Amino acid sequence: MAGDERRLQILRIAMRLFSQRGFGGTTTKEIARAAGVSEAMVFRHFATKKELYSAILDHKACLHDTMDPIQVVAEAIARKDDRAVFAGLALDALDRHDCDPEFHRLLLHSALEEHELAQMFWEKFVTRVYRILGSYIRERQRDGAIIDVEPLIVVRAFVGMVIHHSLNNNLWDRKRILLKISNQVAAREFANILMHGIACGKGRRVPGSRTTVRSAGKSGAAGGSVNGRRNGPTRNTVIKTAAKGNSKRKRLAK
């Protein structure tokens, strides 16, 4: 093999072994054996293990053109289409994990073993998503489109839905026995869940918030809910209803 081809071969085999056995359970000798080369050949292409870990991230970035999901929804961000932003990010993440479960497992191993690759990935990609998406949410809060809640909490809640769904599909429920839906449907519904919780509009004021949200359904008495609170008749409605009842009873008494 040419130098570049050999380097890529070693890199791919290293990723596969790391994702199966973890970093602590994989040696450079095993990588060399699986690649059919000497251990010296491995170190010729990767002087240290840390260089090998860095190469894994660089390779994945090139393989997917970019590991920056923000670019996927750049147009939606520009036109301030909140639902498209969140649905696009969710779909990109779910598709990426389905196409490359090996890398997903690799990242989980690195986190569980407190390996430096986990921190490298966090600093290079995850924090950027938090920073940019958090800034977008703050801007939309200033526009009055999103309620006043800590933006990073919104990001954490949204990412949590997506990652948990992906983990179920790729690790625990591969046959989709518990929930079988397409990534497109999952992404759309996760965005809907989020937007129904943070979207602003005319209606009942959310306790502790400077903005209001629409009530679910035509009437609070119909059993809708907003932000996890069950709708019901307002205090003024209760007072007016009670007053009418008292007046009617007085007329009947006469």
Side-chain angles (χ1 to χ4, degrees):
M1 286 186 182
D4 290 343
E5 291 177 344
R6 178 66 73 186
R7 185 177 189 277
L8 183 57
Q9 179 211 21
I10 295 172
L11 190 65
R12 286 173 173 168
I13 289 174
M15 284 190 292
R16 175 170 57 82
L17 293 179
F18 285 144
S19 71
Q20 293 173 349
R21 308 177 188 175
F23 296 93
T26 305
T27 65
T28 51
K29 286 184 179 180
E30 290 172 326
I31 294 172
R33 188 183 306 116
V37 300
S38 65
E39 190 175 13
M41 177 66 73
V42 174
F43 285 115
R44 181 180 301 175
H45 290 282
F46 305 98
T48 63
K49 264 194 171 184
K50 184 173 183 178
E51 185 177 321
L52 179 57
Y53 307 145
S54 298
I56 289 173
L57 291 184
D58 291 339
H59 171 68
K60 287 299 179 181
C62 293
L63 185 64
H64 294 293
D65 294 327
T66 175
M67 288 190 70
D68 183 2
I70 295 297
Q71 293 302 317
V72 176
V73 293
E75 292 184 3
I77 289 177
R79 65 174 184 270
K80 297 184 177 182
D81 186 341
D82 302 332
R83 197 176 300 275
V85 169
F86 291 112
L89 287 173
L91 182 59
D92 178 69
L94 294 174
D95 283 348
R96 197 185 299 277
H97 292 163
D98 282 356
C99 291
D100 197 0
E102 186 176 275
F103 186 55
H104 201 186
R105 289 174 60 90
L106 185 71
L107 290 175
L108 289 174
H109 271 298
S110 67
L112 291 172
E113 297 179 24
E114 298 184 351
H115 191 275
E116 55 192 312
L117 177 63
Q119 191 62 28
M120 291 164 62
F121 180 80
W122 177 264
E123 293 175 354
K124 192 170 185 177
F125 300 111
V126 179
T127 55
R128 186 167 188 271
V129 172
Y130 266 74
R131 184 175 66 254
I132 295 177
L133 188 54
S135 296
Y136 172 78
I137 292 171
R138 287 189 185 91
E139 180 181 356
R140 297 298 286 141
Q141 286 175 332
R142 289 193 291 269
D143 293 340
I146 293 178
I147 64 172
D148 185 15
V149 63
E150 169 56 48
L152 296 185
I153 292 179
V154 179
V155 178
R156 178 64 58 86
F158 173 68
V159 173
M161 287 191 290
V162 175
I163 296 301
H164 180 72
H165 181 70
S166 182
L167 287 173
N168 271 279
N169 287 347
N170 294 320
L171 293 182
W172 303 312
D173 190 17
R174 296 179 184 177
K175 294 182 179 180
R176 312 297 199 265
I177 296 174
L178 185 64
L179 176 64
K180 187 174 183 179
I181 57 175
S182 68
N183 286 345
Q184 288 80 4
V185 170
R188 184 190 68 217
E189 295 305 326
F190 289 153
N192 285 337
I193 290 170
L194 187 73
M195 293 308 300
H196 288 166
I198 65 174
C200 291
K202 294 180 180 179
R204 186 170 60 84
R205 180 174 296 276
V206 177
S209 173
R210 295 196 299 269
T211 55
T212 58
V213 299
R214 290 187 182 90
S215 297
K218 294 182 178 180
S219 170
S225 64
V226 177
N227 288 354
R229 294 177 178 273
R230 185 172 181 84
N231 289 338
T234 63
R235 182 173 181 273
N236 288 338
T237 301
V238 172
I239 293 173
K240 290 178 180 178
T241 301
K244 289 180 179 179
N246 291 336
S247 177
K248 185 175 181 180
R249 283 193 295 271
K250 288 179 179 179
R251 288 198 301 271
L252 290 174
K254 291 180 180 180

